[in-house]
Amino acid sequence: MTIQQILSRTRLRHLALLTVSVLSVAATVSAATTHHRATHHTQHSSAAATGPAPVILSAHPGTQLDIDARKLNSDDLEDAAKHHDHPVVLVGSAPLSSGKNDEALFVQLQSARLCGSAGCTTSVYLRHNDSWKTVLDSVNGDISVLPTRHKGMHDLLVGKNDKWIWDGNEYQDTLSAPPMPKMNGPN
């Protein structure tokens, strides 16, 4: 083997080690960022006073929120199981009102069968005392809690510009559907 071949192999080994090191650092940074986002989610209520506070959805198997989410979505989960589908249950929570016993649960079921071309849907449940009520059902897009309020509840932003406001009973979309095009009848 020539010196040039030995140097070439040594360079390849160094390049491979450098690549593994860079990938390891990237994985560590990614894990730290994910942990920071999950930690930040639990503290975002104070951020809501300054601008939209994104609701971070993540899997928390075995927690009370996960158990509640599975109960609230038991029909969808049972149907998925019949089709040998096992969706990932993602949950998040945020205070939407100033009520001490009010808590919102954001739930998204992720699987190829349950998610469509627009992505996976998220539903929002409001807990008052010991019962959950659906207040926003099956919306597509990231959800953020806005600092603005209607009838005592924070407004929600779905995606980048779809604002939902509280009507006293549930969230209502503020985007109106575009008018239907006029159809010309047969001549």
Short mmCIF file of all heavy atoms in Angstrom, two decimals, residues 41-82:
data_model
loop_
_atom_site.label_atom_id
_atom_site.label_comp_id
_atom_site.label_asym_id
_atom_site.label_seq_id
_atom_site.Cartn_x
_atom_site.Cartn_y
_atom_site.Cartn_z
N HIS A 41 -43.77 25.08 27.19
CA HIS A 41 -45.22 24.95 27.04
C HIS A 41 -45.92 25.09 28.38
O HIS A 41 -46.93 25.76 28.48
CB HIS A 41 -45.57 23.60 26.40
CG HIS A 41 -47.00 23.22 26.62
ND1 HIS A 41 -48.04 23.92 26.05
CD2 HIS A 41 -47.55 22.26 27.36
CE1 HIS A 41 -49.17 23.39 26.43
NE2 HIS A 41 -48.91 22.38 27.22
N THR A 42 -45.37 24.49 29.41
CA THR A 42 -46.04 24.55 30.70
C THR A 42 -45.96 25.93 31.31
O THR A 42 -46.72 26.25 32.21
CB THR A 42 -45.44 23.52 31.68
OG1 THR A 42 -44.06 23.80 31.85
CG2 THR A 42 -45.64 22.10 31.17
N GLN A 43 -45.05 26.78 30.79
CA GLN A 43 -44.89 28.11 31.35
C GLN A 43 -45.40 29.20 30.41
O GLN A 43 -45.16 30.36 30.65
CB GLN A 43 -43.41 28.35 31.63
CG GLN A 43 -42.84 27.36 32.61
CD GLN A 43 -41.33 27.47 32.68
OE1 GLN A 43 -40.71 28.15 31.90
NE2 GLN A 43 -40.75 26.77 33.63
N HIS A 44 -46.10 28.85 29.33
CA HIS A 44 -46.44 29.84 28.33
C HIS A 44 -47.58 30.77 28.71
O HIS A 44 -47.80 31.74 28.04
CB HIS A 44 -46.74 29.17 26.99
CG HIS A 44 -48.13 28.67 26.87
ND1 HIS A 44 -48.54 27.52 27.47
CD2 HIS A 44 -49.20 29.19 26.24
CE1 HIS A 44 -49.82 27.35 27.21
NE2 HIS A 44 -50.25 28.33 26.46
N SER A 45 -48.26 30.51 29.81
CA SER A 45 -49.40 31.37 30.14
C SER A 45 -48.96 32.81 30.39
O SER A 45 -49.68 33.73 30.06
CB SER A 45 -50.15 30.82 31.35
OG SER A 45 -49.30 30.76 32.46
N SER A 46 -47.77 33.01 30.93
CA SER A 46 -47.31 34.38 31.13
C SER A 46 -46.94 35.03 29.80
O SER A 46 -47.05 36.23 29.64
CB SER A 46 -46.12 34.41 32.08
OG SER A 46 -45.05 33.68 31.54
N ALA A 47 -46.52 34.21 28.82
CA ALA A 47 -46.18 34.75 27.51
C ALA A 47 -47.43 35.17 26.75
O ALA A 47 -47.35 35.98 25.84
CB ALA A 47 -45.40 33.72 26.71
N ALA A 48 -48.59 34.62 27.12
CA ALA A 48 -49.83 34.93 26.42
C ALA A 48 -50.16 36.41 26.51
O ALA A 48 -50.88 36.93 25.68
CB ALA A 48 -50.98 34.09 26.97
N ALA A 49 -49.64 37.10 27.51
CA ALA A 49 -49.95 38.52 27.67
C ALA A 49 -49.25 39.36 26.61
O ALA A 49 -49.64 40.48 26.36
CB ALA A 49 -49.53 38.98 29.06
N THR A 50 -48.22 38.83 25.95
CA THR A 50 -47.46 39.62 24.99
C THR A 50 -47.74 39.27 23.54
O THR A 50 -47.44 40.05 22.66
CB THR A 50 -45.96 39.47 25.26
OG1 THR A 50 -45.61 38.09 25.14
CG2 THR A 50 -45.59 39.99 26.62
N GLY A 51 -48.27 38.12 23.25
CA GLY A 51 -48.52 37.71 21.87
C GLY A 51 -49.02 36.28 21.84
O GLY A 51 -49.27 35.68 22.88
N PRO A 52 -49.18 35.74 20.63
CA PRO A 52 -49.67 34.36 20.52
C PRO A 52 -48.73 33.39 21.24
O PRO A 52 -47.52 33.47 21.09
CB PRO A 52 -49.66 34.09 19.01
CG PRO A 52 -49.63 35.43 18.36
CD PRO A 52 -48.93 36.34 19.33
N ALA A 53 -49.30 32.51 22.02
CA ALA A 53 -48.53 31.48 22.73
C ALA A 53 -48.88 30.13 22.12
O ALA A 53 -50.00 29.65 22.29
CB ALA A 53 -48.85 31.50 24.21
N PRO A 54 -47.96 29.54 21.37
CA PRO A 54 -48.27 28.26 20.72
C PRO A 54 -48.54 27.16 21.74
O PRO A 54 -47.89 27.09 22.78
CB PRO A 54 -47.03 27.95 19.90
CG PRO A 54 -46.01 28.95 20.24
CD PRO A 54 -46.62 30.00 21.12
N VAL A 55 -49.51 26.33 21.42
CA VAL A 55 -49.79 25.16 22.24
C VAL A 55 -48.94 24.03 21.68
O VAL A 55 -49.07 23.67 20.51
CB VAL A 55 -51.29 24.78 22.20
CG1 VAL A 55 -51.54 23.50 22.98
CG2 VAL A 55 -52.13 25.92 22.74
N ILE A 56 -48.05 23.51 22.50
CA ILE A 56 -47.16 22.44 22.08
C ILE A 56 -47.82 21.11 22.41
O ILE A 56 -48.17 20.85 23.56
CB ILE A 56 -45.79 22.53 22.80
CG1 ILE A 56 -45.17 23.92 22.63
CG2 ILE A 56 -44.86 21.44 22.33
CD1 ILE A 56 -44.89 24.33 21.21
N LEU A 57 -47.99 20.29 21.38
CA LEU A 57 -48.58 18.97 21.56
C LEU A 57 -47.46 17.94 21.57
O LEU A 57 -46.58 17.96 20.72
CB LEU A 57 -49.55 18.65 20.41
CG LEU A 57 -50.73 19.60 20.26
CD1 LEU A 57 -51.51 19.28 19.00
CD2 LEU A 57 -51.63 19.53 21.48
N SER A 58 -47.52 17.04 22.54
CA SER A 58 -46.52 15.97 22.62
C SER A 58 -47.13 14.77 23.33
O SER A 58 -48.16 14.87 23.99
CB SER A 58 -45.26 16.47 23.34
OG SER A 58 -45.57 16.97 24.61
N ALA A 59 -46.48 13.64 23.15
CA ALA A 59 -46.95 12.39 23.77
C ALA A 59 -46.52 12.37 25.24
O ALA A 59 -45.37 12.66 25.55
CB ALA A 59 -46.38 11.19 23.02
N HIS A 60 -47.47 12.07 26.11
CA HIS A 60 -47.20 11.94 27.54
C HIS A 60 -47.91 10.70 28.06
O HIS A 60 -48.85 10.81 28.86
CB HIS A 60 -47.69 13.18 28.30
CG HIS A 60 -46.96 14.43 27.96
ND1 HIS A 60 -45.70 14.70 28.43
CD2 HIS A 60 -47.29 15.48 27.17
CE1 HIS A 60 -45.29 15.86 27.96
NE2 HIS A 60 -46.24 16.36 27.19
N PRO A 61 -47.51 9.51 27.59
CA PRO A 61 -48.22 8.28 27.97
C PRO A 61 -48.30 8.11 29.48
O PRO A 61 -47.34 8.35 30.20
CB PRO A 61 -47.36 7.17 27.35
CG PRO A 61 -46.51 7.84 26.33
CD PRO A 61 -46.35 9.25 26.77
N GLY A 62 -49.50 7.73 29.93
CA GLY A 62 -49.70 7.42 31.33
C GLY A 62 -50.03 8.60 32.22
O GLY A 62 -50.39 8.42 33.38
N THR A 63 -49.89 9.83 31.71
CA THR A 63 -50.22 11.00 32.53
C THR A 63 -51.74 11.16 32.60
O THR A 63 -52.47 10.58 31.80
CB THR A 63 -49.60 12.29 31.96
OG1 THR A 63 -50.18 12.54 30.67
CG2 THR A 63 -48.09 12.19 31.85
N GLN A 64 -52.20 11.97 33.51
CA GLN A 64 -53.65 12.18 33.64
C GLN A 64 -54.23 12.81 32.38
O GLN A 64 -55.31 12.44 31.95
CB GLN A 64 -53.97 13.05 34.86
CG GLN A 64 -55.46 13.12 35.17
CD GLN A 64 -56.07 11.74 35.42
OE1 GLN A 64 -55.57 10.95 36.21
NE2 GLN A 64 -57.17 11.44 34.73
N LEU A 65 -53.50 13.75 31.75
CA LEU A 65 -53.99 14.34 30.52
C LEU A 65 -54.10 13.30 29.41
O LEU A 65 -55.05 13.30 28.63
CB LEU A 65 -53.11 15.50 30.06
CG LEU A 65 -53.20 16.79 30.88
CD1 LEU A 65 -52.24 17.84 30.32
CD2 LEU A 65 -54.61 17.33 30.92
N ASP A 66 -53.14 12.39 29.31
CA ASP A 66 -53.18 11.33 28.32
C ASP A 66 -54.37 10.41 28.58
O ASP A 66 -55.09 10.04 27.64
CB ASP A 66 -51.87 10.53 28.34
CG ASP A 66 -51.86 9.40 27.33
OD1 ASP A 66 -51.82 9.69 26.12
OD2 ASP A 66 -51.91 8.23 27.76
N ILE A 67 -54.59 10.05 29.82
CA ILE A 67 -55.72 9.19 30.19
C ILE A 67 -57.03 9.87 29.83
O ILE A 67 -57.93 9.26 29.21
CB ILE A 67 -55.66 8.83 31.69
CG1 ILE A 67 -54.46 7.92 31.98
CG2 ILE A 67 -56.97 8.19 32.16
CD1 ILE A 67 -54.11 7.77 33.44
N ASP A 68 -57.16 11.16 30.16
CA ASP A 68 -58.38 11.90 29.82
C ASP A 68 -58.55 12.00 28.31
O ASP A 68 -59.66 11.83 27.79
CB ASP A 68 -58.33 13.31 30.43
CG ASP A 68 -58.47 13.30 31.95
OD1 ASP A 68 -58.92 12.28 32.52
OD2 ASP A 68 -58.12 14.32 32.57
N ALA A 69 -57.46 12.26 27.58
CA ALA A 69 -57.53 12.37 26.11
C ALA A 69 -58.00 11.05 25.50
O ALA A 69 -58.82 11.04 24.58
CB ALA A 69 -56.17 12.77 25.56
N ARG A 70 -57.50 9.94 26.02
CA ARG A 70 -57.90 8.63 25.49
C ARG A 70 -59.37 8.34 25.79
O ARG A 70 -60.07 7.76 24.96
CB ARG A 70 -56.99 7.54 26.05
CG ARG A 70 -55.59 7.61 25.48
CD ARG A 70 -54.63 6.62 26.12
NE ARG A 70 -53.29 6.83 25.65
CZ ARG A 70 -52.80 6.37 24.50
NH1 ARG A 70 -53.56 5.65 23.71
NH2 ARG A 70 -51.55 6.63 24.15
N LYS A 71 -59.86 8.76 26.95
CA LYS A 71 -61.28 8.57 27.27
C LYS A 71 -62.15 9.43 26.35
O LYS A 71 -63.16 8.96 25.83
CB LYS A 71 -61.56 8.95 28.73
CG LYS A 71 -61.10 7.93 29.73
CD LYS A 71 -61.41 8.40 31.15
CE LYS A 71 -60.80 7.48 32.17
NZ LYS A 71 -60.96 8.00 33.55
N LEU A 72 -61.76 10.67 26.15
CA LEU A 72 -62.53 11.58 25.32
C LEU A 72 -62.54 11.17 23.85
O LEU A 72 -63.46 11.52 23.11
CB LEU A 72 -61.99 13.01 25.45
CG LEU A 72 -62.19 13.67 26.82
CD1 LEU A 72 -61.32 14.90 26.96
CD2 LEU A 72 -63.67 14.02 27.01
N ASN A 73 -61.54 10.44 23.42
CA ASN A 73 -61.42 10.01 22.03
C ASN A 73 -61.52 8.49 21.89
O ASN A 73 -61.01 7.91 20.93
CB ASN A 73 -60.09 10.51 21.45
CG ASN A 73 -60.09 12.00 21.27
OD1 ASN A 73 -60.53 12.51 20.26
ND2 ASN A 73 -59.61 12.71 22.29
N SER A 74 -62.17 7.85 22.85
CA SER A 74 -62.23 6.39 22.86
C SER A 74 -62.88 5.81 21.61
O SER A 74 -62.44 4.77 21.11
CB SER A 74 -62.94 5.89 24.12
OG SER A 74 -64.28 6.37 24.15
N ASP A 75 -63.91 6.46 21.06
CA ASP A 75 -64.55 5.94 19.85
C ASP A 75 -63.56 5.89 18.69
O ASP A 75 -63.48 4.88 17.98
CB ASP A 75 -65.76 6.80 19.45
CG ASP A 75 -66.91 6.67 20.43
OD1 ASP A 75 -66.93 5.69 21.22
OD2 ASP A 75 -67.79 7.54 20.41
N ASP A 76 -62.82 6.97 18.48
CA ASP A 76 -61.83 6.99 17.39
C ASP A 76 -60.72 5.97 17.63
O ASP A 76 -60.26 5.32 16.68
CB ASP A 76 -61.22 8.39 17.25
CG ASP A 76 -62.19 9.39 16.67
OD1 ASP A 76 -63.13 8.99 15.95
OD2 ASP A 76 -62.02 10.60 16.94
N LEU A 77 -60.28 5.83 18.87
CA LEU A 77 -59.22 4.88 19.17
C LEU A 77 -59.69 3.43 19.01
O LEU A 77 -58.94 2.59 18.49
CB LEU A 77 -58.68 5.12 20.59
CG LEU A 77 -57.92 6.44 20.77
CD1 LEU A 77 -57.62 6.69 22.24
CD2 LEU A 77 -56.63 6.42 19.96
N GLU A 78 -60.93 3.15 19.40
CA GLU A 78 -61.48 1.81 19.22
C GLU A 78 -61.63 1.48 17.74
O GLU A 78 -61.31 0.37 17.30
CB GLU A 78 -62.83 1.67 19.94
CG GLU A 78 -62.70 1.60 21.45
CD GLU A 78 -64.05 1.67 22.16
OE1 GLU A 78 -65.11 1.51 21.51
OE2 GLU A 78 -64.03 1.90 23.39
N ASP A 79 -62.12 2.44 16.96
CA ASP A 79 -62.27 2.22 15.52
C ASP A 79 -60.90 1.99 14.88
O ASP A 79 -60.76 1.12 14.01
CB ASP A 79 -62.97 3.42 14.88
CG ASP A 79 -63.22 3.20 13.41
OD1 ASP A 79 -63.89 2.21 13.06
OD2 ASP A 79 -62.75 4.02 12.59
N ALA A 80 -59.91 2.75 15.28
CA ALA A 80 -58.57 2.58 14.74
C ALA A 80 -58.02 1.19 15.08
O ALA A 80 -57.42 0.53 14.22
CB ALA A 80 -57.63 3.67 15.28
N ALA A 81 -58.25 0.74 16.30
CA ALA A 81 -57.77 -0.58 16.72
C ALA A 81 -58.40 -1.69 15.88
O ALA A 81 -57.75 -2.69 15.57
CB ALA A 81 -58.04 -0.80 18.20
N LYS A 82 -59.68 -1.52 15.52
CA LYS A 82 -60.35 -2.52 14.68
C LYS A 82 -59.67 -2.64 13.32
O LYS A 82 -59.75 -3.67 12.67
CB LYS A 82 -61.82 -2.14 14.47
CG LYS A 82 -62.67 -2.32 15.70
CD LYS A 82 -64.10 -1.88 15.43
CE LYS A 82 -64.90 -1.89 16.71
NZ LYS A 82 -66.25 -1.32 16.53
#
